[in-house]
Amino acid sequence: MKSNKVPGRNRKHRVLLYAISTCGWCKRTKDFLKDNDIEFKYVDVDLCSEEDREEIKKDILKRGGRLSYPTIIVDDDVIINGFHDDMIKEALGI
Amino acid sequence: MILLKEARQRAENDARMHGYYLHPDPEFLRNLLEGLTRNEDRYGYPSCPCRLASGKFEFDRDILCPCEYRDADLEEFGFCYCALYVRKDVHEGKTSIVPIPERRPMKKQTRAYAKVVETSTEMQPHVPSTESEQPSNIEMKMWYCRQCGYMCFREDPPHVCPICKAKAEIFAEIIITTQVLTPIRRVKE
């Protein structure tokens, strides 16, 4: 699956964002991470092949998440559904 | 190709008709409207910009903007799932806009992940399939509103009756049974 990498000076955590390319909340999340200089990878799920979508679905569900976007996964450990900046800040320690 | 101003006009008209407003942040609003035009271009219909569409109309019909869940979300939270439409108090800044839970049932959400033959690659416009090898497994039924008599043909009854505003629980399924009472004979001339 192809992910896009956004460089940032803060590389303390491994951040993966599942997003939808047309979603306002997903854009807000991307902007938030960029503004905070966080390095992250993102996948626009709507631009993915059906096989990749299925993989993403399994990945989110196995972590106990919901199939809504944005979904942010920090360090393979924390999953946050929706742009909850307070939760993202806490997970990233910023 | 639909223009942004047309999408804006359509949303404004719909908001006015229902006594709603559009998202107060001009940039956020523009993003949503651009998302709607993008979806209309690639799928052929304006599905919700914040939900994963399958690209098949019969699977996505409930998330065509304005989606089926909008009115219930506006009533409960003051704004819809993507926050394109907001209530007056939200428009006036008395209620803030935060992410809200997805109201769309899981069984419908997962249809966007269903395996189909075609695959779309990044940045290429999605071509809506006309004849998928996967037959539609959606069972459509006839429903009627027991309060006002409104009838419709859908998978589920609507959340709210569009005529009398009765809730989904008021709807009942119409089951038609046919019984041949007398054999039909062709009369020879």
Side-chain angles (χ1 to χ4, degrees):
Chain A
M1 182 192 321
K2 189 178 170 291
S3 62
N4 303 281
K5 187 176 172 181
V6 179
R9 274 180 293 188
N10 187 337
R11 295 175 201 150
K12 270 187 256 172
H13 301 275
R14 208 166 54 252
V15 182
L16 173 64
L17 167 67
Y18 289 131
I20 293 178
S21 67
T22 52
C23 171
W25 291 104
C26 299
K27 186 176 183 306
R28 217 168 236 195
T29 310
K30 288 173 187 169
D31 290 346
F32 174 83
L33 295 171
K34 283 178 200 164
D35 292 346
N36 284 283
D37 218 357
I38 307 286
E39 184 160 294
F40 67 101
K41 281 183 182 173
Y42 72 90
V43 178
D44 282 327
V45 185
D46 56 314
L47 304 178
C48 285
S49 67
E50 300 288 345
E51 288 76 14
D52 285 348
R53 284 186 185 199
E54 190 62 31
E55 208 178 300
I56 291 163
K57 183 182 95 176
K58 282 182 189 155
D59 188 36
I60 293 174
L61 294 178
K62 83 165 184 230
R63 295 171 195 276
R66 296 187 306 273
L67 296 178
S68 64
Y69 303 94
T71 289
I72 305 112
I73 298 163
V74 180
D75 292 331
D76 252 357
D77 182 36
V78 181
I79 184 161
I80 302 162
N81 277 125
F83 176 56
H84 296 281
D85 53 353
D86 51 340
M87 289 164 79
I88 300 170
K89 278 182 186 169
E90 194 188 326
L92 296 174
I94 56 174
Chain B
M1 187 168 175
I2 182 171
L3 299 171
L4 186 65
K5 70 173 184 184
E6 290 172 322
R8 186 184 296 272
Q9 190 66 54
R10 199 162 55 188
E12 280 174 355
N13 289 347
D14 200 76
R16 204 175 303 119
M17 196 163 73
H18 288 86
Y20 299 150
Y21 296 83
L22 300 184
H23 196 290
D25 177 348
E27 200 196 326
F28 195 89
L29 174 60
R30 190 172 48 80
N31 285 334
L32 293 173
L33 293 171
E34 279 175 356
L36 281 171
T37 59
R38 166 101 177 94
N39 283 348
E40 192 155 352
D41 284 344
R42 61 177 167 172
Y43 302 132
Y45 46 84
S47 65
C48 176
C50 294
R51 289 181 168 109
L52 186 64
S54 71
K56 289 198 183 74
F57 179 77
E58 69 267 32
F59 288 169
D60 297 336
R61 66 171 79 222
D62 62 314
I63 53 167
L64 259 63
C65 185
C67 71
E68 280 195 25
Y69 314 101
R70 177 190 67 172
D71 295 342
D73 280 338
L74 264 103
E75 193 181 327
E76 185 173 347
F77 302 106
F79 40 90
C80 64
Y81 182 72
C82 73
L84 174 62
Y85 292 97
V86 306
R87 217 168 46 197
K88 192 179 179 189
D89 52 307
V90 176
H91 171 72
E92 290 170 348
K94 292 173 189 164
T95 307
S96 51
I97 303 173
V98 292
I100 57 168
E102 171 62 290
R103 193 180 290 274
R104 191 183 193 208
M106 186 70 166
K107 73 167 185 182
K108 292 189 179 181
Q109 289 179 44
T110 53
R111 286 172 187 161
Y113 302 83
K115 191 142 180 62
V116 291
V117 174
E118 71 191 22
T119 55
S120 61
T121 51
E122 192 169 344
M123 298 316 288
Q124 279 183 355
H126 184 95
V127 181
S129 62
T130 46
E131 282 294 316
S132 162
E133 288 197 6
Q134 182 193 41
S136 169
N137 55 3
I138 297 173
E139 195 191 343
M140 304 287 274
K141 295 171 184 168
M142 280 210 285
W143 302 92
Y144 79 103
C145 174
R146 285 184 287 134
Q147 187 160 292
C148 74
Y150 166 76
M151 279 171 57
C152 53
F153 185 61
R154 298 160 44 103
E155 186 181 5
D156 311 304
H159 290 279
V160 175
C161 173
I163 305 300
C164 72
K165 311 297 176 204
K167 295 211 166 147
E169 297 78 50
I170 300 296
F171 276 79
E173 190 185 341
I174 299 173
I175 299 166
I176 297 174
T177 52
T178 52
Q179 193 178 10
V180 179
L181 296 172
T182 49
I184 300 165
R185 286 186 195 145
R186 188 175 286 267
V187 180
K188 283 183 183 172
E189 289 180 21

